[in-house]
Every structure is written in C-alpha cells, then in structure tokens.
Amino acid sequence: MGKVEKGITCSVLKCDETADRSMSLTKAKMSQELDFDNSKKRVYLCKTHYKDWKKSSKSDRETERMRWD
Ligand SMILES: [Zn+2]
C-alpha cells in the first residue's frame, strides 16, 4: 500500500481524479461497488473512491489488514 506518484489518475471508470492510493487488483476487488479498469494488476484510487472502497469492503478489511501492501 503506497502513496501514488503525481500524474497517475484513478482507475475507476469515468473518474479522472488524481490517484491518492494504490493497491493490488485482488484487494480492490473486495469491493463490489467500484467499477475499475481491471486489466492491470495494480489499481489506483482517488481519495473519494478510496473512501468508497473502504466502506464497501468493510467486512473483509479486518482479515485482510495483515496482508496490506
Ligand atoms: Zn476516482
């Protein structure tokens, strides 16, 4: 899990906000609500979508936390 370099945009479809967080595709898929470009192994999320992701993946978050990258 890292901060993202400038110039990278959010992977959620139709969103072109600057990405704030990155995570593996596997992890990003814990949320059923977000529709992102899943052709890449790395997913980038803007602040707003990262919040949405956190909310919608809440139930799995505790168990996944140890493997946070
Ligand atoms: Zn976004």
Side-chain angles (χ1 to χ4, degrees):
M1 179 81 184
K3 277 287 200 176
V4 174
E5 288 173 51
K6 284 190 174 176
I8 297 178
T9 52
C10 183
S11 305
V12 175
L13 299 180
K14 292 175 188 166
C15 177
D16 45 6
E17 292 294 315
T18 306
D20 188 54
R21 303 283 182 155
S22 76
M23 62 182 69
S24 65
L25 180 61
T26 317
K27 200 166 177 63
K29 279 187 167 171
M30 281 162 46
S31 166
Q32 308 289 310
E33 284 180 30
L34 298 177
D35 214 5
F36 40 71
D37 174 8
N38 54 17
S39 63
K40 299 191 182 83
K41 284 192 179 149
R42 203 85 196 148
V43 169
Y44 297 93
L45 296 175
C46 65
K47 278 193 181 127
T48 312
H49 281 124
Y50 178 66
K51 254 189 232 170
D52 287 352
W53 176 84
K54 267 206 297 196
K55 253 188 272 169
S56 52
S57 64
K58 212 172 184 179
S59 55
D60 295 327
R61 202 148 58 99
E62 290 305 309
T63 49
E64 284 290 321
R65 200 155 59 180
M66 307 303 248
R67 291 193 271 142
W68 200 247
D69 62 354

